[in-house]
Every structure is written in structure tokens, then in C-alpha cells.
Amino acid sequence: MIEEKGILFILSGPSGVGKGTVRKEVFKRKTELRYSISMTTREKRPGEVDGVDYFYKTNDEFEKLIEQGKLLEYAKFVNNYYGTPKDYVLETLDRGHDVFLEIEVQGAMQVKQNFPEGVFIFLFPPSLEELKNRITNRGTEEEDVILNRLKEARNEIEMMDAYDYVVVNDDVDKAVDKIQSIIQSEHCKRERIAAQYKKLLEDELS
Amino acid sequence: MIEEKGILFILSGPSGVGKGTVRKEVFKRKTELRYSISMTTREKRPGEVDGVDYFYKTNDEFEKLIEQGKLLEYAKFVNNYYGTPKDYVLETLDRGHDVFLEIEVQGAMQVKQNFPEGVFIFLFPPSLEELKNRITNRGTEEEDVILNRLKEARNEIEMMDAYDYVVVNDDVDKAVDKIQSIIQSEHCKRERIAAQYKKLLEDELS
């Protein structure tokens, strides 16, 4: 039997590209992927469960984890920390399960530094126009906020070079098909499995 | 619009692993792949069509093509040459179509030298035992012929390191699923498409 470690897949891309929608559709389909549960210092909302929606931590606990290098990536939004716990991800991979992260571009770059063997997938907008529409339709933002977001999105697109794959989100189903293909084909990569196959053969001959 | 060149996929693996069966199943499914038509010096059999089954050449013509470097790979079996015409493959790729080759390991190594940007897929036997069964069941070969083939198969398996992907042929449908995933995910590789996506963005901004 081939015993394989899990693979860490990171889905990222500019704000407004539709990462959340694509991630939800990936998990709606039949999949053996594990979703990485984030850690946060924000208060638990009614109905949320610790270890299901988030791992809830105090500010002190979170900052200690940062110091100890226990986070694959983290960021602060509106005075609350959000991050990806390293141990949880590594243990899940060791047990042979693939882990799927959906995070912002800045966070993905941190993961790339801390875990370069991850497989990085960049979700690309079908067009800048479309991206602008999505950013605009989100809420009732002012013009200059929108322009700022668009500028940021363009900067984020420049970071595409750090990724392994680029998937256009022109159609959610097609994008998810491509992500599923990437997951399956990564498990066929020769450098991941050749050594084990050769060993299998030697065992049979001994 | 993104205009992409086609990708050359090479399916290979040890004798008896089931390359032909897998290739036929790949083409039975809905696919936009082009199958590369081989060139041969063997006589045309009744019902065969030039340019469909093979490109038929005389011995002199074939040897001239070898000299001119017009073959991606070639070999001689039972006094007849068989090979893959380079121009036909390159022109098909230039028109944006993927090309699929199913060839012996020795031929795949020649393609690797002449066209290293191809994507090389190694079909792996589910077990040596199974491989032996398949080699044995092919015909009424003598024991020493079988042992020789098995030894050769083991040598061919050692050449796995030159490949990009390894697919186990434990089940034809599953193997074909994996090959289809490899084809789709290769088209999402960042290094193939990032430059074009960035250009797309610049065009929109200009």
C-alpha cells in the first residue's frame, strides 16, 4: 500500500474575485478535503461553536502563538486577530488528509514562507470590469473606497507569480472542476510518489 | 482572449502495463486531444488509410527524415521503422490543440530529449505479479521470453524518474480520470498562462 501524506492547497486571489463562493462549492461536492478551521480573537457569536466555526482565543493567547511561530499566517482586521493554526494543519496532513485554505493574498504569502511545499492556486477575475462590479455591488461604499480596492486588487494580481496555478473564475462550476483536477493531478506528481512506488516494487522482489 | 499553444502529453510505461487500452479509453471519452499519427515503413494493410492509420514511407524516405531530425522519436521493430513526425506534432500544437502520444519507454526518452517541454505520464502496473500475468497472457511465449520481458519491465520502471506524473493502472477508468485531471491542471499552470493574464489586464487598463 502507498501511504501518502496529505497536501496543503491554498486558494487565494484579489478581494472580490469570489474566493468564498468557490470554496463553498468545493466543499459542497463529494470531497475528502479537510477545511482548515481558523483561529480568532473576535467574540463568539450566538450559534457558533469553538473548534467548528473558529478556535476562539484571547488576545494574549493569540499573541503568544504568534511569538511561538504557531501560526501559518495571521492578520488583524478591525482590532481582531484571525489566523491559521500550524499544528492543526500539519497534524491533519500527517494523518494523510489534504487540507484546503481559502485566504487573502497577504496571508497566502505568509503561508508560502512558512510552508513552501503547499500548492498555491490563484483565483483570477474574468475581467477588471467584472471585478469592479463585484467590489461595487458588495455594499454602499464611496467612490474613493471602491477605487482604492480596485487598485489593491491590481497590486494583488501582480503577486500571481508566487503561485503554482491560475484559475479564472468566469464560471464557478468550471473553476471548481479545475481545482478538483489540480488536487487529483498533484497526487500523481512523480516527485511525490515515485520513491514509494519503487519501494513497493523492491518489496515484491525481496 | 487567452490564446494558448497546445500541450504535448506523452503516455508511456513498461510493456504489458496496458498503455494501449488506457489510450483508447482516453479517446473514447469526450476530448479535444489530437492523437499523433505515426510514420512507418511497414506495408499498408488492407483497409488502412495513409494519414489516418499511419503515414506510410519507404525505407529511404524514413532514413532521410531521421538524418534531417524530422522525428520526435523512432524505433525499428522486425525490420520496419516506426516514428513520430515532428512537424505534424509541432504544427498541431501551434494551432492550439493538445497532442497525445502513446509510446514505448525508449521512444518517450527520445521525445524527452527532443521536446523537454512535453508532459510525461508514466503508467505504473498495480503490481509486478499483475504485470507478469499480463505479459504471460498475451500469447504462448516460452518461459525465458517471459522472464526476459519481466526483467525489461523492471528496467523500464527504473526510468520513471524522467517523468512528470505517475498513474497506477489498477483500474482503467480511474487511470483515465487521472490523465484527464493532469491535462486540465497543466492548462492552469501559472508559468504557462500568467504572462498572458497580466497582458490581458494591461490591455484593459490602457
Side-chain angles (χ1 to χ4, degrees):
Chain A
M1 266 310 292
I2 299 288
E3 275 176 36
E4 226 191 306
K5 271 183 78 170
I7 302 172
L8 178 60
F9 293 95
I10 299 96
L11 179 70
S12 191
S15 312
V17 76
K19 294 187 289 292
T21 310
V22 168
R23 185 252 304 160
K24 276 175 206 152
E25 189 59 34
V26 166
F27 280 92
K28 255 191 219 161
R29 296 198 192 174
K30 192 178 170 295
T31 180
E32 303 199 350
L33 285 176
R34 303 295 162 102
Y35 184 61
S36 160
I37 300 157
S38 294
M39 218 168 247
T40 186
T41 57
R42 85 147 164 71
E43 253 179 78
K44 191 159 73 176
R45 290 176 191 155
E48 287 185 350
V49 179
D50 189 26
V52 174
D53 297 286
Y54 284 99
F55 295 114
Y56 300 91
K57 298 286 168 190
T58 66
N59 210 67
D60 284 353
E61 286 172 333
F62 203 102
E63 288 178 348
K64 203 170 169 191
L65 291 167
I66 295 173
E67 273 169 41
Q68 295 173 332
K70 292 281 195 190
L71 294 163
L72 276 180
E73 57 86 29
Y74 71 93
K76 206 167 190 174
F77 297 111
V78 207
N79 280 326
N80 283 311
Y81 282 117
Y82 294 83
T84 303
K86 198 172 192 170
D87 290 349
Y88 175 81
V89 169
L90 298 188
E91 283 160 19
T92 309
L93 296 175
D94 277 341
R95 286 199 300 272
H97 304 294
D98 292 343
V99 177
F100 193 88
L101 293 183
E102 176 241 313
I103 48 178
E104 301 299 323
V105 170
Q106 306 298 338
M109 292 302 94
Q110 290 180 51
V111 179
K112 180 94 184 172
Q113 284 208 310
N114 292 320
F115 197 79
E117 59 269 51
V119 174
F120 293 79
I121 305 171
F122 190 89
L123 201 62
F124 193 88
S127 72
L128 255 197
E129 205 48 49
E130 178 66 26
L131 189 67
K132 196 175 171 181
N133 285 339
R134 289 186 199 180
I135 288 173
T136 317
N137 292 336
R138 264 197 184 175
T140 54
E141 265 89 35
E142 300 291 327
E143 180 88 8
D144 59 340
V145 175
I146 290 170
L147 280 175
N148 216 27
R149 283 219 186 128
L150 205 59
K151 195 183 154 202
E152 203 181 306
R154 278 163 48 197
N155 289 338
E156 287 174 337
I157 288 169
E158 287 300 317
M159 291 160 103
M160 195 158 61
D161 289 342
Y163 289 74
D164 301 298
Y165 296 96
V166 177
V167 169
V168 191
N169 191 19
D170 49 355
D171 176 291
V172 173
D173 272 327
K174 280 186 198 161
V176 174
D177 285 346
K178 286 174 183 170
I179 291 168
Q180 288 189 318
S181 285
I182 291 166
I183 293 168
Q184 188 168 35
S185 73
E186 279 290 327
H187 281 280
C188 298
K189 280 263 183 86
R190 190 255 313 152
E191 63 264 36
R192 282 191 207 284
I193 53 179
Q196 292 174 78
Y197 279 118
K198 282 191 180 174
K199 196 180 169 305
L200 195 76
L201 212 63
E202 279 161 26
D203 291 350
E204 276 187 51
L205 294 173
S206 64
Chain B
M1 266 311 293
I2 299 289
E3 273 176 38
E4 226 189 307
K5 272 183 74 170
I7 302 173
L8 178 61
F9 294 94
I10 300 96
L11 179 69
S12 190
S15 312
V17 76
K19 294 187 288 295
T21 311
V22 168
R23 185 253 303 161
K24 276 176 206 151
E25 190 57 35
V26 166
F27 281 92
K28 257 191 218 162
R29 296 197 192 175
K30 191 179 170 298
T31 180
E32 303 200 350
L33 286 176
R34 303 295 163 101
Y35 184 60
S36 159
I37 300 157
S38 294
M39 217 168 248
T40 186
T41 57
R42 85 148 163 72
E43 253 178 79
K44 192 158 71 176
R45 292 177 191 155
E48 289 185 348
V49 179
D50 189 25
V52 174
D53 297 287
Y54 284 100
F55 295 113
Y56 300 92
K57 299 285 169 191
T58 66
N59 211 66
D60 284 353
E61 286 171 334
F62 202 103
E63 287 178 349
K64 202 170 171 190
L65 290 167
I66 296 173
E67 273 169 43
Q68 295 172 329
K70 293 280 193 188
L71 295 162
L72 277 180
E73 56 86 30
Y74 70 94
K76 204 167 191 175
F77 297 110
V78 206
N79 279 326
N80 283 310
Y81 283 116
Y82 294 82
T84 303
K86 199 173 191 170
D87 290 349
Y88 175 81
V89 169
L90 298 188
E91 283 160 19
T92 311
L93 296 176
D94 277 340
R95 285 198 302 271
H97 304 295
D98 292 343
V99 177
F100 193 89
L101 294 183
E102 176 241 313
I103 47 179
E104 301 299 323
V105 170
Q106 306 298 336
M109 292 302 94
Q110 290 179 51
V111 179
K112 179 95 184 171
Q113 284 208 309
N114 292 321
F115 198 78
E117 59 269 52
V119 174
F120 293 80
I121 305 171
F122 190 89
L123 201 62
F124 193 87
S127 71
L128 256 196
E129 203 50 49
E130 178 66 27
L131 189 67
K132 195 174 170 181
N133 285 338
R134 289 187 198 178
I135 289 173
T136 317
N137 291 337
R138 267 195 182 175
T140 54
E141 263 88 36
E142 299 290 325
E143 180 87 9
D144 59 341
V145 175
I146 290 169
L147 281 176
N148 216 27
R149 284 220 184 127
L150 204 59
K151 196 183 154 201
E152 202 181 306
R154 278 166 47 198
N155 289 339
E156 287 173 337
I157 287 170
E158 287 300 316
M159 291 160 104
M160 194 159 60
D161 288 342
Y163 289 74
D164 300 297
Y165 296 96
V166 177
V167 168
V168 191
N169 191 21
D170 48 357
D171 175 291
V172 173
D173 274 327
K174 281 187 198 161
V176 175
D177 285 346
K178 286 175 183 168
I179 291 168
Q180 288 190 317
S181 286
I182 291 166
I183 293 168
Q184 188 168 34
S185 72
E186 279 289 328
H187 281 280
C188 299
K189 279 263 183 87
R190 190 255 311 151
E191 62 264 35
R192 281 190 207 283
I193 54 178
Q196 289 173 82
Y197 279 117
K198 282 191 179 175
K199 194 178 170 308
L200 195 74
L201 212 62
E202 279 160 27
D203 291 349
E204 277 188 49
L205 294 172
S206 64

